Amino acid sequence: MIETAIYILFAVYGLSGLLYFIRLLRGPTVVDSILAADCVSLDVALIALLLSIYYRNSFLAVGALFLVLWAFILDVFAAKYLTRGEVGT
């Protein structure tokens, strides 16, 4: 039962990641591209977590955690750049 749910979630997150990646490449504005990059990284992290559950291996969960933190830092820098026009202090 849990394996069926994992397969379905793989398909859903894979399809959404593909759509986000298309938006990343074709986004009409920079904000759209940043949002798409954030969504792609979160989808990859979720797929890594699903793989961690499927293989019963916690090392993939640690990698997913770092990927989510990277996405958060990307959001902070992008928001700072868009509001102030600079990334520095």
Side-chain angles (χ1 to χ4, degrees):
M1 181 67 183
I2 190 81
E3 291 179 359
T4 304
I6 288 175
Y7 292 139
I8 292 170
L9 288 174
F10 275 135
V12 169
Y13 286 125
L15 180 64
S16 66
L18 179 67
L19 293 174
Y20 291 140
F21 191 72
I22 291 170
R23 173 56 71 188
L24 175 68
L25 295 177
R26 301 183 65 189
T29 64
V30 175
V31 177
D32 291 333
S33 297
I34 291 171
L35 181 63
D38 188 41
C39 291
V40 166
S41 63
L42 290 178
D43 274 353
V44 170
L46 287 172
I47 288 173
L49 283 175
L50 287 174
L51 285 173
S52 174
I53 293 170
Y54 184 76
Y55 288 116
R56 294 186 170 102
N57 186 352
S58 62
F59 291 116
L60 290 172
V62 174
L65 177 68
F66 284 118
L67 188 58
V68 169
L69 289 174
W70 176 79
F72 176 72
I73 291 171
L74 173 71
D75 290 342
V76 169
F77 280 114
K80 195 169 184 179
Y81 178 75
L82 291 175
T83 57
R84 294 185 182 173
E86 63 182 28
V87 179
T89 57

